[in-house]
Amino acid sequence: MRIALDEARVPVRLAAAANPYVGPRPLELGEPLWGRDEEVAALYFLLSAERIVVLHSPSGAGKSSLVQAGLIPRLRESFDVWRPTRVNQEPDVTAPVGRPLNRYVHSAILGFEQGIPPALRRPAAELAGLTLAEYAAGRPTRPGAPPSVVVIFDQFEEVLTVDPLAVAAKEAFFDQLGELLHDPRISALFLLREDYLAPLDPYADRVPTHLKNRFRIDLLGLAGAREAIVNPAREGGREFPAADRLVRDLAAVKVQQPDGSFVEQTGNHVEPVQLQVVCRRLWDAMPEDDLAIGVEDLERFGNVDSALAVYYAEAVARIAGGDLRCERAIRDWFGGRLITAGGIRGQALKGVWESEGLANGLVEQLRATHLVRAEKRAGATWCELAHDRLIKPVREDNAAWRERHLSVVQRRAALWESEGRPDGLLLTAEDLADGEAWAAAHEAEITPGERRYLAVSAEAVAAARQEALQARRIRKLAIAATILAVAALIAGGFAGRLWWKAEEQARRTEDLARGGAAASLLETKPSQAALVLLEVRGAEQDAPTVDALHRALAALAGKRDAKTYATLKHDGEVVSASFSPDGLRVVTASEDGTVRLWNAETGRQERVLRDHAHGEVFHSASFSPDADGWRVVTASSDGAAQMWDAATGRKLGGPLSHEKPVRFASFSPDGRRVLTVSGDAARLWDATTGQKLGKPLSHEKAAVRFASFSPDGRRVLTVSGDAARLWDAATGQQERELRGHERGITSASFSDPDGRWVVTASWDGTAQLWDAATGQPAGEPLSHREAVRFASFSPDGTLVVTASRDGTARLWDRATGRLSSEPLRHKDSVRSAAFSPDGDFVVTASDDETARLWEVKTGKEIAILEGHASAVRFASFSADGHRLVTASADGTARLWDLRGGDLDGEALAIYETAKRLSNAAFSPDGARIVTTSRTRGTATILRYAEGGESDLPLWEACGRVNAASFSPD
């Protein structure tokens, strides 16, 4: 018996009760209302004192719920409250002779009648023709009811919207309403969307008090929203410790900054319908024995995006009634009209029959779901999305629906239209055949835009075929001409060619002997001069000639005429741009909600990545370090990073999610991990599985602003306003803290190639070098007159470049901490600076709308890159150093070719090879040179006698190549 009693005392974990959240409908009489106590009390006292009140609010604020669940129970203590009525019902009876039937009056009476027990109700025909006062006089009184009456008109704007041209009937209705309300025992409450307050005014003088007593409720405040989340859960048997997190998520809005960009912030209100939708789905998904809803439960079962997306999908499907064309039209209206390309709310002007492409009947049904609201401004009605929080779920669900229901042709046609009809998105010859076959089989489904896409694709394919045919003709003529020329050479020119080679070799040898190589060859052929430099450096002879020729070629190479050869356009500020490792592509990220991939040679757009179906603001995009850069990782303000296949534009795995906007994302040097940076923390992820690796890398007292891998990928450097920190990338353990700046740190980076040093830049006007092994400062601060916005090392780690708001960039010797040249000056703040891969040049980007190219050795300005119409955020080199990409706040990135000037492309390539030369040797016939490079680990064959054109690399090694030579044969 004692054992039984002990067991009885063991607490039993009970299952949660039925779902306490009502979902996407108003609360009804008898259901609890949370978070509106103050409004209910204030409205009760106002109605009691003033008798006639207009209750108005934005659409979706919850007027009906407040009245049904909150106000009516309290009114019943002192009033006989009639059942709320509406004025929208179409009459289906005929009034008695001599008694005109007013549709608004009759509809109101039928609604009031529903509040009477069925046995006491009168037939509709008997009620037809009665005035409101006559109905009130003959209405049965509830036993024990107070003598004072309250009548409630719900959705009272319907008196204005139903049969809008029936002005006389409306006036007659308000006259009857005035007659009814002259009885001091009768009070009235009118529920109205606030955009109809002004249209109501012409009728107000027909009613006592002229409807001057008005009470406004807003969307649910944050404190009220918390009550509406926590209290129903508690009554249902669960605690809700993650309520604050859910409130912040539901209240998220996009706020435009002074520079035009948008950031996500926590707003002041929550949409009650959205709150109910999310909470109801969360409750149903939770295990019955889980009696506490924590953050992990919220992430697992209560994803706000998923809940709202499902609600949107169900509402659209219900309204479309199974008609896919209708559903597509609704979804296109949301995605094209109510949400802009930049991922913010747009507006659609309501017309007589339709609202910018969608029938008004469908629009009204959407308004009833609280997905859409309408507001009157400047005499016109504008439709818009009910809340910013719907933007991402709507776009994601639209994208998924199109993937399931639309053909490839339809999806590509839509993308082509949305991107401004670029040639790069047209169908190829193979795809066109499939597209035309699909079109023939689905004639009824094709839209005018899809017909146009197929027609333009067909024209492009035909033009390409014509060009190919013409090219084949030209090649045939060229081959014939070549055969004739070869025959002529064989007949009489072979001996002459051998003589010319011998003479050329003799002249070059004599020239070298006189030390005149620089003077003669530079004037005649820079390519030959560059090859001579290879020869004499490799042979290590005639040092004065080597030095003179090197200086002359360097001067020529320095006269680079940087020219724009492509402008890459976005609809918003371009925040990042970079080349793929192989130099064939460029990726740009923009605040217009897109990341775009471009052909680096032509500037033609290849792909558009719209995150996370996003339309959110992008903060960065970068390639993986693989040779072809086949992956891209993006960071977005929606709180996630995403990996993509650069060739197809498809997502690779799911989002890498944070609680706050992700500011930056990058791959590790080996491409196996991804590093993401958000205000809450930096995180490491497995690039294959998308799984989190280790614990968050966080700064307790400040948000994380930036993070990067060391060159060997073994450590991570994070930056916040208080300090920089070094972490073990394998374990997530903090190794060092770099603290010493007087103000916040703006950037930090490791030295190449060993990661031994770190440099930090700060708002305090300095950059500081640190020993990564000890965490101690290395030398004195590198000082500017104003804040230092950026700092980084040269490729060999011997120099540091800093960029400052004082309008200069500066080059510093890492070992001594001294300036290595005069300051590199702009006319405004310098945002960033980058070394070329060989370390010979630096490019700076500035708010003065230019980027500038500088020679590192002398600090001399080589070229000014002009053409942007706003601040240049940054610039970066391609892997071969021959091209640049700049990104600007003017909504464009620009591609620049640096191979201009007095050296042709071949000579420049040979000259750059010569700078790294460790050995050069001629072939026995004098027609080729083999060169080796210690720094690049390559051996390359150059065709000497034919003007210096380079063959493909002969060999690539992991380390240095010290020497190479031809065999005797």
Side-chain angles (χ1 to χ4, degrees), residues 63 162 181-182 347 426 454 459 467 514 548 562 573 859 862 956:
K63 298 182 297 294
V162 173
L181 296 180
H182 272 103
Q347 298 175 340
L426 293 173
L454 288 169
E459 293 173 3
E467 291 178 4
R514 293 197 305 269
E573 182 171 350
I862 301 300
E956 296 188 8

Side-chain angles (χ1 to χ4, degrees), residues 295-310:
V295 173
E296 292 184 358
D297 296 313
L298 204 60
E299 293 177 349
R300 183 178 179 188
F301 303 114
N303 184 277
V304 175
D305 292 332
S306 299
L308 295 178
V310 170

Side-chain angles (χ1 to χ4, degrees), residues 54-405:
V54 175
L55 171 62
H56 61 95
S57 76
S59 175
K63 298 182 297 294
S64 297
S65 294
L66 181 142
V67 170
Q68 288 275 13
L71 181 65
I72 290 178
R74 186 160 184 179
L75 287 172
R76 282 185 168 177
E77 298 172 2
S78 306
F79 297 89
D80 182 10
V81 183
W82 293 1
R83 182 185 185 276
T85 191
R86 293 172 62 178
V87 296
N88 65 335
Q89 190 168 333
E90 183 77 25
D92 59 358
V93 296
T94 302
V97 177
R99 301 298 300 266
L101 180 65
N102 185 294
R103 64 170 302 164
Y104 307 110
V105 172
H106 187 64
S107 178
I109 289 175
L110 291 178
F112 290 144
E113 192 74 359
Q114 296 303 306
I116 298 175
L120 301 176
R121 292 176 192 169
R122 288 174 280 179
E126 186 178 332
L127 297 172
L130 292 180
T131 67
L132 290 172
E134 289 171 340
Y135 172 78
R139 175 186 167 99
T141 302
R142 177 169 54 86
S148 297
V149 173
V150 172
V151 295
I152 300 172
F153 291 86
D154 195 9
Q155 299 188 42
F156 194 57
E157 65 272 6
E158 290 171 337
V159 74
L160 305 170
T161 61
V162 173
D163 202 356
L165 300 181
V167 176
K170 298 178 195 299
E171 291 175 343
F173 166 74
F174 278 96
D175 286 339
Q176 291 196 31
L177 192 60
E179 181 186 3
L180 173 69
L181 296 180
H182 272 103
D183 186 339
R185 295 174 303 165
I186 299 179
S187 301
L189 178 67
F190 302 93
L191 280 61
L192 185 79
R193 281 213 315 269
E194 63 186 6
D195 45 321
Y196 285 97
L197 282 173
L200 185 67
D201 287 341
Y203 304 99
D205 60 355
R206 298 173 183 266
V207 179
T209 73
H210 296 183
L211 302 180
K212 67 177 182 179
N213 300 308
R214 297 179 177 182
F215 186 89
R216 183 181 190 274
I217 64 168
D218 209 332
L219 298 174
L220 196 58
L222 302 188
R226 190 180 190 282
E227 285 186 38
I229 292 171
V230 171
N231 291 331
R234 188 167 292 155
E235 289 197 347
R238 281 192 174 109
E239 293 300 316
F240 208 131
D244 291 331
R245 164 75 178 275
L246 181 56
V247 168
R248 290 196 302 272
D249 198 347
L250 288 167
V253 295
K254 289 190 172 183
V255 179
Q256 191 168 29
Q257 304 301 295
D259 63 0
S261 63
F262 285 85
V263 297
E264 189 174 277
Q265 296 180 1
T266 301
N268 297 320
H269 302 98
V270 169
E271 288 270 354
V273 172
Q274 294 180 23
L275 182 151
Q276 289 290 334
V277 165
V278 172
C279 288
R280 185 171 180 83
R281 292 184 182 277
L282 170 61
W283 189 277
D284 286 341
M286 289 279 293
E288 288 188 1
D289 61 349
D290 189 344
L291 302 183
I293 304 175
V295 173
E296 292 184 358
D297 296 313
L298 204 60
E299 293 177 349
R300 183 178 179 188
F301 303 114
N303 184 277
V304 175
D305 292 332
S306 299
L308 295 178
V310 170
Y311 176 60
Y312 165 74
E314 291 175 348
V316 171
R318 183 177 64 254
I319 292 170
D323 185 338
L324 289 182
R325 285 181 296 179
C326 179
E327 183 165 356
R328 183 182 179 189
I330 295 173
R331 289 176 177 275
D332 287 347
W333 188 70
F334 271 93
R337 297 293 183 183
L338 302 192
I339 303 174
T340 70
I344 61 175
R345 279 194 286 179
Q347 298 175 340
L349 177 63
K350 184 179 181 181
V352 177
W353 306 110
E354 63 178 32
S355 300
E356 297 194 23
L358 191 66
N360 284 341
L362 296 174
V363 174
E364 287 304 312
Q365 293 182 67
L366 290 169
R367 289 173 65 177
T369 66
H370 302 290
L371 290 168
V372 175
R373 67 162 49 104
E375 293 186 0
K376 281 189 175 293
R377 290 191 295 276
T381 300
W382 296 88
C383 301
E384 65 180 5
L385 209 61
H387 196 276
D388 282 348
R389 195 60 189 79
L390 288 167
I391 292 174
K392 182 184 175 187
V394 167
R395 298 187 79 169
E396 286 186 342
D397 192 70
N398 277 352
W401 185 89
R402 292 190 183 100
E403 190 73 24
R404 293 193 305 270
H405 293 94

Side-chain angles (χ1 to χ4, degrees), residues 398-417:
N398 277 352
W401 185 89
R402 292 190 183 100
E403 190 73 24
R404 293 193 305 270
H405 293 94
L406 299 186
S407 70
V408 174
V409 172
Q410 290 174 304
R411 294 198 299 272
R412 292 185 64 174
L415 181 60
W416 179 69
E417 289 281 1

Side-chain angles (χ1 to χ4, degrees), residues 491-507:
F494 186 69
R497 183 173 182 275
L498 292 177
W499 175 83
W500 177 86
K501 285 173 60 180
E503 285 294 307
E504 180 69 15
Q505 181 71 24
R507 282 198 301 273

